[in-house]
Amino acid sequence: MAYEEEWWGHSSAGITARNLRKRYGDHAALDGFSLQVRPGTVCGLLGPNGAGKTTAVRILATLLRPDDGQASVAGWDVVRQPRQVRYRIGLVGQNASVDEVLTGRQNLELFGRLGHLTARVARTRAGELLERFGLAEAADRSAAQYSGGMRRRLDLATSLVLAPAVLFLDEPTTGLDPAARIDVWAHIRALVGTGTTVLLTTQYLDEADQLADQIAVMDAGQIVAEGTPDELKARVGPDRVETVTRKPTLDEVFLHLTGHAPTTPHQAAGEATR
Amino acid sequence: MSTPTATAVSRSGSWARDAANLTRRILLHWKQRPVSIALTLLFPVLIVLMFRYLFGGAMPVPDGTYTDYLIPGMLAMTMLFGLESVALAVTTDAAKGVTERIRAMPVSGNAVLAGRGWADLLNGVAGLAVMVTAGLVLGWRPQHGLVSTLAALGLLLWLRSAFTWVGIYLGLLLKTPESAVSVQVLVWPIGFLSSTFVSPDTMPTWLGEIATWNPLSSTATAIRDLFGNPTWATHTWAAEHAVPLAAMWPAVLTLVFLPLAHHQHRSLAS
Ligand SMILES: Nc1ncnc2c1ncn2[C@@H]1O[C@H](COP(=O)(O)OP(=O)(O)O)[C@@H](O)[C@H]1O
Ligand SMILES: [Mg+2]
């Protein structure tokens, strides 16, 4: 542990990112991204299409090398110790990424084994998660036959196979119908309190508001504002939050914080092709 | 439920076990989609039947029957088909997000590629078994005993593993299943521009020259020698040294494309 203590001081768990940069051609996807998420809390990373949310998550999940900057996740450096990080993280990507040919059970057992659980433990763990995510009945059907909501739940279950210390959820409810969204929210809420650190990206303030202890607003590859949901809403101004049901939309918060509208057509088009 | 970090420490895995688990994943795909794998395995049989019965009558093989010429060629061709199926499988994994999910697990890139390679080798073994059976049914016979026959099958799998690395590299390079279709377009001319179906002697000189040097031709001619099947008398240098060339060509392809595939896999992180 001496190495991380020297490198990261006392902030050895949770997520720490310092000044991350990532360029694609002459476009900076991340332009000095810094973030600190305390262990056991949920951080909502809020930003429009093209803000750099997915890029940040992919770097923190060891899938992408940053051009510059440092980051540690669950106490390990994402660039120097990716393997140690991978034992301790779960990732739900922007698109459901289960193996559609395999059954739900086969998916869970496969990824358990790839995380070096013994075959027996992987089997038990798969059974547990299928039960917990309401997939026990569909366990032995090919995931190709699952509904969008079921696939998302399997995706979430798969990312929990190793009981990760840190969980990344990249727009976990995008593309889901309202009922499925509320269902996924319930599962995420159930995770809070087990000590898992969660970084959740979203384009919707209400989602961050529902789930996060701390919100970081992101634009053009940087964090532009940070605080609790209430702090952020207070900054938008009392006139917009005078009723309980009328909360400011992301666009309003965004416009207020950055002084410009969130998504340009160019960014939206870039996202659509990804 | 276990506490988050409790099960996540002090485990380790070996490279070979990771690769075996990833191979197992692809074998499970076969089990889940038996019709799809059956069609893949039977497709070359269909081609053999077409050539044997539609064109076979017009093929004047001087030193034997067309069936005895065709089957070894088709065995080599079956190895080439692996190139496109592996490229397609690699791009499909990328498109479905499975590649990223596996990359987020504590397994090395070496294990990921080896798992894919081993599975494709098993696919090649199955393909050979089906084609050999079809050949035997059609009356094709190896003439030179067990050792030569096994040597021929070994050369075929050696070629397959080289094509696997080409396929993995192209799959990683092309990224999407749509563009992997271009590999299919590439595979057919390569397959035909060889001694698979007819002797390069029957082609225009310059074309026959290219066909003779095709790695597929070296393996096809080498196994015809080893099986004791007709070679349709080609007396070029490449045809007379077919066995050493059939050993060398796949080595060259592997030496080029295995590092390229690893490089391409690493570059997924950039
Ligand atoms: N592989 C890539 N190649 C080129 N540009 C990319 C790539 N990945 C992301 N980008 C660009 O980087 C910016 C940030 O993208 P992303 O992190 O996906 O944003 P978000 O997840 O917030 O929508 C976008 O402008 C996007 O087009
Ligand atoms: Mg995104």
Side-chain angles (χ1 to χ4, degrees):
Chain A
M1 293 304 267
Y3 162 72
E4 307 87 71
E5 271 164 23
E6 191 182 311
W7 192 252
W8 294 114
H10 58 277
S11 63
S12 65
I15 302 168
T16 308
R18 283 189 200 159
N19 216 15
L20 290 175
R21 289 176 197 282
K22 183 74 190 177
R23 301 191 72 83
Y24 289 110
D26 55 6
H27 175 77
L30 284 190
D31 193 11
F33 175 91
S34 298
L35 182 69
Q36 178 99 35
V37 183
R38 276 174 293 112
T41 64
V42 181
C43 174
L45 187 58
L46 183 65
N49 255 347
K53 304 183 297 295
T54 298
T55 305
V57 165
R58 292 183 73 228
I59 288 174
L60 294 172
T62 77
L63 294 173
L64 193 64
R65 263 190 309 273
D67 297 336
D68 196 13
Q70 299 98 35
S72 85
V73 168
W76 298 88
D77 187 291
V78 297
V79 174
R80 298 198 201 188
Q81 298 284 352
R83 206 180 166 83
Q84 293 298 334
V85 172
R86 288 171 192 175
Y87 274 118
R88 293 162 177 84
I89 61 168
L91 169 66
V92 175
Q94 201 166 337
N95 303 304
S97 59
V98 295
D99 186 328
E100 288 181 11
V101 182
L102 301 185
T103 67
R105 191 188 306 281
Q106 287 169 338
N107 265 288
L108 291 167
E109 287 186 15
L110 169 72
F111 286 99
R113 280 159 174 250
L114 289 178
H116 306 138
L117 302 179
T118 65
R120 201 170 48 82
V121 173
R123 207 161 33 240
T124 315
R125 185 91 182 124
E128 246 172 62
L129 287 164
L130 286 164
E131 199 66 50
R132 181 165 140 206
F133 282 86
L135 294 167
E137 222 164 275
D140 298 308
R141 283 214 305 271
S142 159
Q145 296 167 28
Y146 287 14
S147 69
M150 288 163 79
R151 227 176 283 186
R152 257 293 124 155
R153 293 204 306 267
L154 176 60
D155 203 1
L156 197 52
T158 307
S159 65
L160 293 176
V161 154
L162 301 185
V166 175
L167 181 65
F168 298 102
L169 302 167
D170 194 7
E171 302 198 21
T173 62
T174 297
L176 292 186
D177 61 49
R181 159 174 302 188
I182 287 167
D183 183 51
V184 168
W185 282 1
H187 283 292
I188 296 172
R189 255 194 227 102
L191 281 171
V192 181
T194 62
T196 310
T197 309
V198 178
L199 180 65
L200 165 101
T201 82
T202 180
Q203 298 188 39
Y204 313 111
L205 179 65
D206 64 330
E207 183 157 291
D209 196 11
Q210 287 278 334
L211 300 170
D213 303 307
Q214 169 201 354
I215 293 179
V217 182
M218 192 175 178
D219 181 39
Q222 291 175 337
I223 301 294
V224 293
E226 264 186 283
T228 64
D230 288 340
E231 282 166 10
L232 286 181
K233 275 179 275 179
R235 285 211 231 166
V236 179
D239 54 316
R240 289 216 176 91
V241 284
E242 60 206 359
T243 66
V244 197
T245 50
R246 175 73 177 85
K247 287 176 182 149
T249 65
L250 165 59
D251 284 3
E252 287 162 348
V253 170
F254 203 82
L255 198 61
H256 178 83
L257 289 170
T258 66
H260 65 84
T263 309
T264 68
H266 164 73
Q267 286 168 324
E271 180 70 19
T273 57
R274 301 232 325 107
Chain B
M1 234 206 85
S2 40
T3 56
T5 43
T7 60
V9 285
S10 75
R11 282 194 308 266
S12 68
S14 79
W15 168 90
R17 189 144 43 89
D18 292 340
N21 276 323
L22 289 160
T23 303
R24 199 167 152 274
R25 161 177 172 250
I26 294 158
L27 299 186
L28 284 173
H29 281 195
W30 299 3
K31 191 179 149 209
Q32 292 292 113
R33 298 211 164 145
V35 175
S36 140
I37 184 76
L39 286 178
T40 312
L41 293 175
L42 289 175
F43 178 66
V45 176
L46 182 72
I47 309 243
V48 157
L49 293 176
M50 270 170 46
F51 273 83
R52 166 70 182 78
Y53 292 104
L54 297 182
F55 306 125
M59 299 289 190
V61 181
D63 48 349
T65 67
Y66 185 61
T67 304
D68 286 341
Y69 182 81
L70 175 65
I71 297 297
M74 207 49 220
L75 285 168
M77 187 80 175
T78 305
M79 301 299 95
L80 179 63
F81 287 150
L83 196 157
E84 63 176 86
S85 61
V86 108
L88 188 65
V90 168
T91 54
T92 305
D93 275 355
K96 300 278 183 195
V98 177
T99 306
E100 289 252 299
R101 171 136 250 158
I102 292 174
R103 285 181 59 231
M105 301 306 292
V107 297
S108 68
N110 290 352
V112 173
L113 296 190
R116 174 60 73 189
W118 295 354
D120 192 58
L121 199 60
L122 290 176
N123 195 334
V125 170
L128 279 189
V130 169
M131 187 45 75
V132 163
T133 308
L136 291 173
V137 169
L138 290 173
W140 164 79
R141 295 288 180 272
Q143 311 287 349
H144 285 172
L146 189 65
V147 174
S148 289
T149 303
L150 289 178
L153 295 177
L155 281 180
L156 285 164
L157 290 174
W158 179 225
L159 182 68
R160 171 63 166 236
S161 84
F163 284 149
T164 299
W165 289 110
V166 181
I168 292 176
Y169 170 66
L170 290 177
L172 290 169
L173 187 74
L174 294 170
K175 293 189 168 70
T176 65
E178 294 76 33
S179 47
V181 172
S182 65
V183 176
Q184 266 166 329
V185 176
L186 202 93
V187 156
W188 283 96
I190 291 174
F192 278 103
L193 194 52
S194 72
S195 66
T196 307
F197 300 110
V198 293
S199 164
D201 276 3
T202 64
M203 303 173 188
T205 320
W206 63 274
L207 210 57
E209 195 67 30
I210 299 174
T212 312
W213 285 98
N214 187 333
L216 208 58
S217 302
S218 296
T219 300
T221 306
I223 65 173
R224 284 176 181 128
D225 284 341
L226 288 166
F227 287 140
N229 291 148
T231 51
W232 202 330
T234 23
H235 295 296
T236 59
W237 189 91
E240 314 234 297
H241 298 82
V243 174
L245 279 177
M248 190 207 71
W249 265 128
V252 171
L253 287 173
T254 304
L255 276 174
V256 173
F257 285 95
L258 189 146
L260 277 177
H262 278 92
H263 172 79
Q264 202 65 29
H265 190 264
R266 273 195 304 277
S267 80
L268 292 176
S270 61

